[in-house]
Amino acid sequence: MKKNKPRVAIQGIRASFHEEAAFKFFGENIQTIECNSFKQTFDALENNEADYVVMAIENSIAGSILPNYSLLLNYNFPVIGEIYLPIQLHLMALPGVVFEQVKYVTSHPIAIRQCIDFFDEYPHLKIVESSDTAACAKRIHDEKLTDTVAIANTLAAKLYGLDILERRVESNKKNFTRFLILTTHGNVEKAIANKASLCFQVSNQVGALAKVLNIFANQGVNMSKIQSMPVLGKRNEYNFYVDVEWEETKHRPRGYGHALFNRLFYPTACRPDRRGRRSYFNRQRTHETTPHRYFG
């Protein structure tokens, strides 16, 4: 029996961008499971303390979050969807505080770097880095700081009762973060998918990777992303993480699966996960910031 309110594990606290992404995918009627690290979100899912994980995987400015690829490989949970969330950063303070009172600004280091043009205009502000944007807003609320502003989203301002002094202080107004939605194998709902996430290695030979990529092209499958990471303890060996897409009007291409098995040094699809289970496709549907849910 399905739970009425899904338990969604996120890295960080309520009103973080991870919770905002969860709201976009599931709607706001969820139980947010706060975790101190991305690994803790996966452990919560594995231990049945959560039904889903929402995890950032890449940002259009900062790039890929490489440690999270290792989590995908080690835990082998199915990816059932994704969200592209626009990152809009606002300057917020306690009600009644005016900008002239402010001496300190606090936020996550990446958020701070994304607002560098704003800080150049106010060199007197002292920057204090923190582990989470929403946690900065919460600290201002809890400690009643009148000389400090936080950089966070509108969710944080609303939840912690802060006023927004300046909106959209990020330098790049077209900054997006991509979040993956994961669940357990037993919780996957059947639906037509139009995207898959794969991980594989190839032999260290001339043209080995090109032969794999040609399979996608020959089968009419679009490769939308490729990311490589060294295999720990093995010189000149890499894991390749690939996202592939196909048209929704077509069924999932069937020929390239068999062709891949003949080319790959070993496909992650054949490797058992931490509990001995095996899976081939991490299937997903892709969409922007609409609140609809897509499963594959």
Side-chain angles (χ1 to χ4, degrees):
M1 181 178 295
K2 291 290 182 182
K3 299 179 177 65
N4 292 327
K5 184 178 288 190
R7 301 170 299 168
V8 183
I10 64 168
Q11 186 274 325
I13 68 172
R14 292 195 59 201
S16 64
F17 283 105
H18 275 85
E19 187 177 54
E20 185 175 350
F23 286 168
K24 293 291 185 181
F25 191 84
F26 295 102
E28 297 188 11
N29 188 29
I30 65 173
Q31 178 184 348
T32 300
I33 308 298
E34 300 176 347
C35 300
N36 293 327
S37 67
F38 289 114
K39 184 180 184 302
Q40 284 188 10
T41 66
F42 278 68
D43 289 338
L45 185 58
E46 185 175 55
N47 297 328
N48 196 31
E49 298 168 357
D51 304 308
Y52 300 94
V53 165
V54 174
M55 179 184 73
I57 195 67
E58 64 178 324
N59 176 264
S60 56
I61 294 177
S64 297
I65 305 175
L66 296 181
N68 289 356
Y69 282 94
S70 297
L71 290 174
L72 292 174
L73 178 62
N74 293 336
Y75 285 79
N76 196 26
F77 288 129
V79 179
I80 61 168
E82 61 183 4
I83 282 285
Y84 284 85
L85 185 71
I87 303 302
Q88 299 180 356
L89 299 169
H90 312 293
L91 207 67
M92 56 193 67
L94 288 174
V97 170
V98 295
F99 189 73
E100 288 71 22
Q101 295 176 248
V102 176
K103 299 178 182 178
Y104 304 96
V105 57
T106 181
S107 193
H108 189 278
I110 293 180
I112 290 172
R113 288 200 297 270
Q114 292 172 357
C115 302
I116 191 65
D117 291 339
F118 177 83
F119 294 128
D120 285 345
E121 298 179 15
Y122 303 97
H124 67 283
L125 293 177
K126 296 181 181 180
I127 296 174
V128 180
E129 295 184 351
S130 179
S131 60
D132 187 81
T133 55
C136 297
K138 184 176 185 298
R139 176 171 172 259
I140 290 176
H141 170 269
D142 292 347
E143 300 181 18
K144 306 302 180 186
L145 302 177
T146 59
D147 61 352
T148 304
V149 292
I151 294 175
N153 57 13
T154 53
L155 267 182
K158 180 179 179 180
L159 181 62
Y160 301 113
L162 303 183
D163 286 347
I164 295 179
L165 303 183
E166 186 78 24
R167 293 184 178 273
R168 304 299 303 274
V169 295
E170 71 273 11
S171 300
N172 189 323
K173 309 300 183 186
K174 297 181 179 180
N175 181 21
F176 287 79
T177 294
R178 178 187 175 210
F179 295 83
L180 299 182
I181 318 299
L182 302 100
T183 189
T184 60
H185 289 268
N187 201 32
V188 175
E189 298 180 9
K190 290 185 177 181
I192 297 176
N194 65 353
K195 189 170 186 176
S197 298
L198 311 174
C199 178
F200 58 83
Q201 291 181 28
V202 294
S203 56
N204 188 19
Q205 298 176 356
V206 175
L209 179 60
K211 292 176 182 178
V212 173
L213 301 185
N214 285 335
I215 293 172
F216 298 136
N218 293 337
Q219 295 293 329
V221 177
N222 178 49
M223 185 182 68
S224 58
K225 180 179 176 62
I226 183 169
Q227 178 73 51
S228 65
M229 284 187 63
V231 177
L232 188 63
K234 295 185 178 181
R235 183 181 177 185
N236 295 329
E237 292 190 19
Y238 295 85
N239 286 321
F240 292 94
Y241 297 83
V242 172
D243 289 347
V244 293
E245 301 175 330
W246 52 89
E247 295 181 14
E248 295 184 42
T249 55
K250 298 179 180 179
H251 294 294
R252 188 185 77 203
R254 298 182 182 277
Y256 82 94
H258 177 73
L260 281 176
F261 275 103
N262 291 332
R263 288 294 184 189
L264 298 184
F265 181 63
Y266 67 78
T268 297
C270 278
R271 297 175 62 203
D273 66 10
R274 290 153 54 96
R275 291 186 174 179
R277 296 167 302 201
R278 298 171 183 266
S279 66
Y280 187 62
F281 286 98
N282 279 335
R283 295 168 295 171
Q284 53 185 307
R285 284 281 300 264
T286 179
H287 56 92
E288 296 289 336
T289 57
T290 55
H292 306 294
R293 294 198 295 164
Y294 297 102
F295 296 93

